């Protein structure tokens, strides 16, 4: 594993949460996502209620473990144990377009264009308010710190 170049793409926690909320509220892309929406997200009256639940879980309280569901799991937990990151390079999705030429050249031997697959369609969710952003900073504190994301003002 260590002999090969490895990388991961992360996303700003606020944008990632809004995307996951929208995607899963619409039923997601699989039967498991639809079941999650129907049986789990349906318990929460709105986005704020879900954030309160996620924050309680991040503070060590409560069940079910929603932060174990891939769409809500802290990103650093995909990349190694604890706060260890076991890849050579972490690139923010926000920087990927500018970095992709060099990245593809390293992996493929020549620069390649970045394909745009699975773009979102339909109405975007309402912007986060200050309380929601504060909850996300609490829930995903390690992601903000490890990947050098700044909270949205």
């Amino acid at each position: 594993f260590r002999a090969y170049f490895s990388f991961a793409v992360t996303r700003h926690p606020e944008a990632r949460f809004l995307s996951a909320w929208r995607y899963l509220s619409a039923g997601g892309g699989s039967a498991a996502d639809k079941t999650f929406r129907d049986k789990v997200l349906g318990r929460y009256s709105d986005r704020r209620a879900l954030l309160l639940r996620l924050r309680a879980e991040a503070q060590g309280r409560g069940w079910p473990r929603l932060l174990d569901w891939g769409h809500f799991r802290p990103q650093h937990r995909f990349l190694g144990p604890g706060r260890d990151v076991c890849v050579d390079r972490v690139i923010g999705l926000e920087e990927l377009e500018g970095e992709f030429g060099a990245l593809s050249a390293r992996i493929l031997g020549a620069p390649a264009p970045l394909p745009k697959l699975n773009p979102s369609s339909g109405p975007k969710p309402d912007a986060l308010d200050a309380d929601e952003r504060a909850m996300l900073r609490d829930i995903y504190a390690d992601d903000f710190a490890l990947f050098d994301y700044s909270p949205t003002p």
Side-chain angles (χ1 to χ4, degrees), residues 10-62:
T10 60
R11 189 171 190 184
H12 192 289
E14 294 171 8
R16 183 173 177 252
F17 174 80
L18 283 173
S19 177
W21 169 260
R22 179 173 176 239
Y23 180 73
L24 291 170
S25 293
S30 68
D33 287 339
K34 186 176 183 312
T35 299
F36 182 84
R37 179 199 62 192
D38 296 343
K39 294 190 176 192
V40 179
L41 284 187
R43 297 178 191 166
Y44 304 97
S45 58
D46 58 19
R47 191 172 68 193
R48 179 177 303 280
L50 175 62
L51 283 167
L52 286 167
R53 174 66 196 86
L54 290 170
R55 184 172 64 183
E57 184 179 316
Q59 295 168 343
R61 303 186 321 263

Side-chain angles (χ1 to χ4, degrees), residues 14 17-18 46-56 59 126-140 144 151-153:
E14 294 171 8
F17 174 80
L18 283 173
D46 58 19
R47 191 172 68 193
R48 179 177 303 280
L50 175 62
L51 283 167
L52 286 167
R53 174 66 196 86
L54 290 170
R55 184 172 64 183
Q59 295 168 343
D126 292 336
L128 296 164
D129 65 31
D131 289 339
E132 292 172 322
R133 287 192 308 273
M135 285 188 268
L136 284 167
R137 283 191 302 274
D138 291 344
I139 295 163
Y140 297 109
F144 275 100
T152 302

Side-chain angles (χ1 to χ4, degrees), residues 58-153:
Q59 295 168 343
R61 303 186 321 263
W63 188 263
R65 298 286 305 165
L66 299 181
L67 289 174
D68 287 339
W69 188 259
H71 295 286
F72 297 120
R73 179 179 297 153
Q75 295 170 90
H76 73 276
R77 288 177 37 197
F78 287 103
L79 303 182
R83 290 176 53 112
D84 293 334
V85 174
C86 297
V87 295
D88 298 312
R89 180 107 189 270
V90 176
I91 302 168
L93 181 64
E94 306 78 14
E95 303 162 347
L96 185 59
E97 191 165 350
E99 299 282 335
F100 195 75
L103 183 65
S104 61
R106 180 167 184 179
I107 295 168
L108 304 172
L114 176 65
K116 297 209 177 191
L117 305 174
N118 194 25
S120 296
S121 60
K124 299 237 182 254
D126 292 336
L128 296 164
D129 65 31
D131 289 339
E132 292 172 322
R133 287 192 308 273
M135 285 188 268
L136 284 167
R137 283 191 302 274
D138 291 344
I139 295 163
Y140 297 109
D142 287 338
D143 284 354
F144 275 100
L146 286 169
F147 307 127
D148 200 28
Y149 282 113
S150 298
T152 302

